Amino acid sequence: MNKVRNIALSGMSVMMLGLVVACGDGPPPPEGPEQNGSEADQPSGDEAGMPTEGGTITAALGGDPQTMDQGVNSGALTNLVAWNIFESLFAMDEEYLPQPMLAESYDVSEDGLEYTIHLRDGVVFHNGDSMNSSDVVASLQRWTEVSATGQQAGEAIESIAAVDELTVSITLSVPRYSLISDLAFTTQMAIIIPEEIADEVGTTPMNAEQTVGTGPYQLAEYNEGQHVLLERFDEYASLEDDLGGFAGAKHAWADEIEYVFVPDETQRFNGVQTGQFDWVQSINADDYESARNHESLNAIPSARGTINTVLVNHNESSLFDDVRAREAINLIIDKDVFAAATFGPEWVWEPLSNSFVSPDNATMYSDAGEDIFFDYDPDRAAELFAEAGIDGSEPIRMLTSQTYPQFYQWAVMIQAELDELGIPMEIDVYDYPTIADMRSSEPESWDLSTSFFTGAVTSPDQILWLGGDWAGEYSNDERDELMAQYQESTSPEEALAVATEIQQLVYEDFPVVQLGHVSEVNVHSAELIFPDDWTNVLYNAGYGE
Amino acid sequence: MLGMVLRRFRDMVIVLVLVGTVMFFILQLIPGSPARAILGEYATESQVAALEAELGYDRPVHEQFFDWFGGMVTGDLGYSTSMGRGVTEAVFQHLGPTLVLALATTVLSVAIAIPLAMHTVHKPDAWSSRLLMGLSNLGLATPNFWLALVLVLIFAVNLNILPTSGYISPLSDPLWSVWYLVLPVVVLISNLLALLVMTLRESLSSELLSSYIRTARAKGLSESKVQYRHLLRNALLPVITVIGSNFGTLLGGIVIIEIIFVIPGMGWALNNGILARDLPLILGITLVSALIFVLINLLVDIAYGIIDPRVRVQ
């Protein structure tokens, strides 16, 4: 069957005529990055002055998002567009703290089981209707069904009810410390949409006509495969204070934002150099230096980043069911060498962080396990492999993709290290949708794989590979206890302490092998002014005088 | 002639049924779920399974096939999850840009190739003819995607006189559309023009030795009449085959060129469909491509008959 499938894949590959070379689409990078010691000596928004109203921002995405429904879709292509359209009750500020957005305020009962959320008055949907508690109840119920984070929160939620026109109560069966952070989380976000649309779409993604939010821009046109045009929503009720991140005031300086889809990274970079595009989603890391030195461009390590990761298969069919094998993989990877070779210039990753969140994410950042992260000891790795029964008689199977060139580079570098130990590794290369599917549906087909994850999580529950319902099938009783303990926290300090313990566990049990954090760079025209280095947030970007 | 046309239509139906059936089952073998494409790569397994069930992808394959086949017979190619509309509508929407690209490439290539080929035949030893043949070889050997990126670098990035990518329909703005079409058409012409010049040159050279050319000249016909009315007409037959098959290929979707230049044609849609595992869309595009190939072959055969009466008799 595998042969047949490979033949079929080969046939498709021929049809695509080497598409991989030219295209480079696939899984959109998980949401944006974060600054890494913002050493960029280019003008930030503050230095360049305030934007003024008017103009159109032409932004080049790596592909067609297919849907604007970021409640359902977890990819960056959808998020990048939809952050302008939708809002949630709470939003993450520049310090990763949840701040009221559509909520005015909230109260928590003493036992932590009853949340009363007061809604802002005067919030209007793009269809002209005013937002009220029934819209919020319907939206949150949908969130508990369609979002991974919502489903986890839903296990603790007993009921969601409208108290009055502008008040909603959420009753929990067990405490959930991260509830407000969950409501502010930006992947499969808890978007608030009109009740009738929530009922109509159910768990399926919204289509263009149903794309109605409360954000500063509304969908004017979605021509599938070609472009998304957003226009300023004149009735948008902005908050006043600038809080950074996704929270606070949303200025909507530009009259319109047009997202065009340019799969080829080189062409995105070419387009922004010539002024055809004002902003582009990630480009090839090899072009970062060139972009940084270009007089008409800004290339700033963006706020938020991704954690590069080697996924490990814990399925009993895999050689890496044994923790010694997982530890050995960590020991053969010299993290600084990997980063220097594949992450891009030093200013996007140095100093290399071992945390499972971005370095400026104070809600969960910790350097626990740093010594293990940087430990490079091939001799010890050889011993551990031998103890785990990996003697080179059968190859390790790496599932990777060239959709993101660095994925394949990591695989080749690991293969070289293993080769030094006399252990062969087969690298199976597919397009990203294929490996994403195979990792889950064919657990017997792989041992290692490659991916990256957002560093903007604000609760361990939001880290997918820590959960059991994701590729790799990681399971650990101590993890379960710590995750439960985290949700019982009563203060940020207590929560951070538990998160630190979880991170330490990650370096003892190796659910995955982390390679380090890297900032994303969204190159943009120097004329486009951002208030800070959250250069994914276009609703607060605009042109100067 | 009518009999041939009817037979070709019968064959066309058989080809379409076979192509559709084979493609349907081939696509079932390809890993990757349309639900995951919709939900994003970070969706959990249970979310993917739930959406697959909702979209009907969890049904037995034969059930899905009969549903799709029944729809195809009645002209309904299904619903494209990535395009958010019916497949038929999506395919025809994306056919327009590819048609513009294919027509511009073909018409310009033929218009340029004929005089160039005639020149190389009549002055085979001239330096210009040698240069042309060298350039033709180069055109055939140069990969399209490489040439595309080089031309973008020169004319868009360095000289900034052409756009790096994009597409405007000639119906909405004819002048601007030309500006956007220049680079992709030049890239596609580089290959087709070279092929046509080489083919036509060979054909013209062999026809030049034919007795009817000597007869025409002996009758006192002017050289231009000999060349264009007799020589070229007979030499065109193999060229028509080349034009036909290339036109079919162009309409089937010039994937790389459409992706590099962001032209929302059939190749672009096919790429999106494959990445999104949008099986109905992939099937729809494959079927329409097959249909185009068959129709073009039919047109080529009819053109043969018009140009060469001997074909009609046969």
Side-chain angles (χ1 to χ4, degrees), chain B:
Chain B
M1 180 74 98
L2 181 64
M4 179 196 75
V5 172
L6 290 175
R7 278 196 304 279
R8 284 307 178 89
F9 272 109
R10 179 202 62 197
D11 294 347
M12 186 171 74
V13 173
I14 295 170
V15 166
L16 292 180
V17 168
L18 282 176
V19 167
T21 305
V22 170
M23 274 304 291
F24 183 92
F25 288 104
I26 286 178
L27 290 175
Q28 299 302 317
L29 299 173
I30 294 171
S33 156
R36 187 170 289 283
I38 292 168
L39 294 171
E41 70 276 18
Y42 299 109
T44 62
E45 192 55 19
S46 56
Q47 288 177 300
V48 173
L51 188 58
E52 275 183 347
E54 199 146 336
L55 295 173
Y57 284 105
D58 62 338
R59 292 177 301 150
V61 173
H62 68 272
E63 210 176 287
Q64 293 183 48
F65 174 72
F66 286 121
D67 262 12
W68 175 80
F69 193 83
M72 182 190 72
V73 171
T74 58
D76 175 11
L77 293 176
Y79 185 78
S80 162
T81 50
S82 64
M83 297 288 174
R85 67 192 67 180
V87 169
T88 312
E89 184 191 344
V91 169
F92 282 100
Q93 182 197 0
H94 288 277
L95 187 59
T98 302
L99 195 62
V100 169
L101 206 55
L103 275 175
T105 302
T106 306
V107 169
L108 286 171
S109 296
V110 171
I112 300 169
I114 289 174
L116 292 183
M118 299 281 270
H119 176 76
T120 60
V121 168
H122 290 290
K123 295 183 177 171
D125 296 325
W127 68 268
S128 51
S129 297
R130 291 171 191 271
L131 179 67
L132 268 174
M133 293 319 291
L135 287 175
S136 297
N137 280 317
L138 195 64
L140 282 175
T142 307
N144 273 350
F145 72 89
W146 178 84
L147 183 62
L149 291 175
V150 168
L151 291 181
V152 166
L153 204 60
I154 296 170
F155 293 101
V157 178
N158 290 332
L159 299 177
N160 209 358
I161 53 175
L162 289 168
T164 58
S165 60
Y167 174 80
I168 290 178
S169 165
L171 298 176
S172 63
D173 193 332
L175 277 181
W176 277 105
S177 75
V178 170
W179 194 55
Y180 279 92
L181 279 172
V182 170
L183 284 181
V185 168
V186 166
V187 171
L188 291 171
I189 279 181
S190 72
N191 194 270
L192 182 58
L193 179 60
L195 186 64
L196 288 178
V197 168
M198 303 280 259
T199 312
L200 192 53
R201 179 177 175 273
E202 283 307 306
S203 181
L204 286 167
S205 299
S206 59
E207 291 294 329
L208 207 53
L209 303 174
S210 303
S211 51
Y212 69 87
I213 296 292
R214 283 199 305 275
T215 308
R217 281 180 176 145
K219 278 165 62 184
L221 286 179
S222 68
E223 190 57 25
S224 64
K225 277 190 178 172
V226 171
Q227 286 185 12
Y228 285 95
R229 187 174 293 175
H230 296 282
L231 176 63
L232 183 61
R233 184 169 177 174
N234 284 289
L236 271 180
L237 286 178
V239 178
I240 286 172
T241 309
V242 172
I243 293 170
S245 62
N246 270 278
F247 194 72
T249 306
L250 290 168
L251 280 184
I254 318 113
V255 180
I256 296 291
I257 295 305
E258 289 188 352
I259 288 171
I260 289 178
F261 289 106
V262 193
I263 296 168
M266 295 265 279
W268 172 271
L270 181 64
N271 174 43
N272 276 354
I274 290 173
L275 290 175
R277 297 296 187 269
D278 187 345
L279 305 188
L281 182 64
I282 301 171
L283 280 167
I285 291 174
T286 311
L287 273 181
V288 171
S289 300
L291 178 66
I292 288 168
F293 263 102
V294 176
L295 285 176
I296 286 175
N297 276 336
L298 177 63
L299 289 176
V300 167
D301 286 347
I302 292 171
Y304 265 43
I306 292 168
I307 291 173
D308 188 347
R310 289 172 300 179
V311 175
R312 283 203 294 269
V313 174
Q314 284 165 13

Side-chain angles (χ1 to χ4, degrees), chain A residues 494-513:
Chain A
E494 197 183 330
L496 180 58
V498 181
T500 303
E501 281 187 65
I502 295 174
Q503 184 167 308
Q504 184 65 40
L505 177 66
V506 167
Y507 285 100
E508 288 165 7
D509 201 32
F510 296 100
V512 296
V513 175

Side-chain angles (χ1 to χ4, degrees), chain A residues 20 47 105 113 130 221 227 231 256-257 276 331 432 452 516:
Chain A
V20 170
E47 293 165 36
S105 61
L113 296 178
S130 292
E221 184 177 278
H227 78 158
E231 62 186 14
E256 293 177 330
I257 303 174
Q276 194 174 345
L331 286 170
Y432 200 87
F452 46 37

Side-chain angles (χ1 to χ4, degrees), chain A residues 74 146-149 151-152 188 440 464 468-471, chain B residues 36 39-50:
Chain A
S74 61
V146 300
S147 156
T149 302
Q151 285 173 350
Q152 287 179 333
Q188 292 184 318
S440 296
L464 288 166
D469 188 23
W470 211 71
Chain B
R36 187 170 289 283
L39 294 171
E41 70 276 18
Y42 299 109
T44 62
E45 192 55 19
S46 56
Q47 288 177 300
V48 173

Side-chain angles (χ1 to χ4, degrees), chain A residues 22-57:
Chain A
C23 132
D25 187 5
E31 321 152 342
E34 106 174 66
Q35 85 262 26
N36 211 358
S38 209
E39 293 174 284
D41 49 10
Q42 302 178 40
S44 67
D46 290 335
E47 293 165 36
M50 286 295 286
T52 53
E53 217 168 76
T56 297
I57 298 173

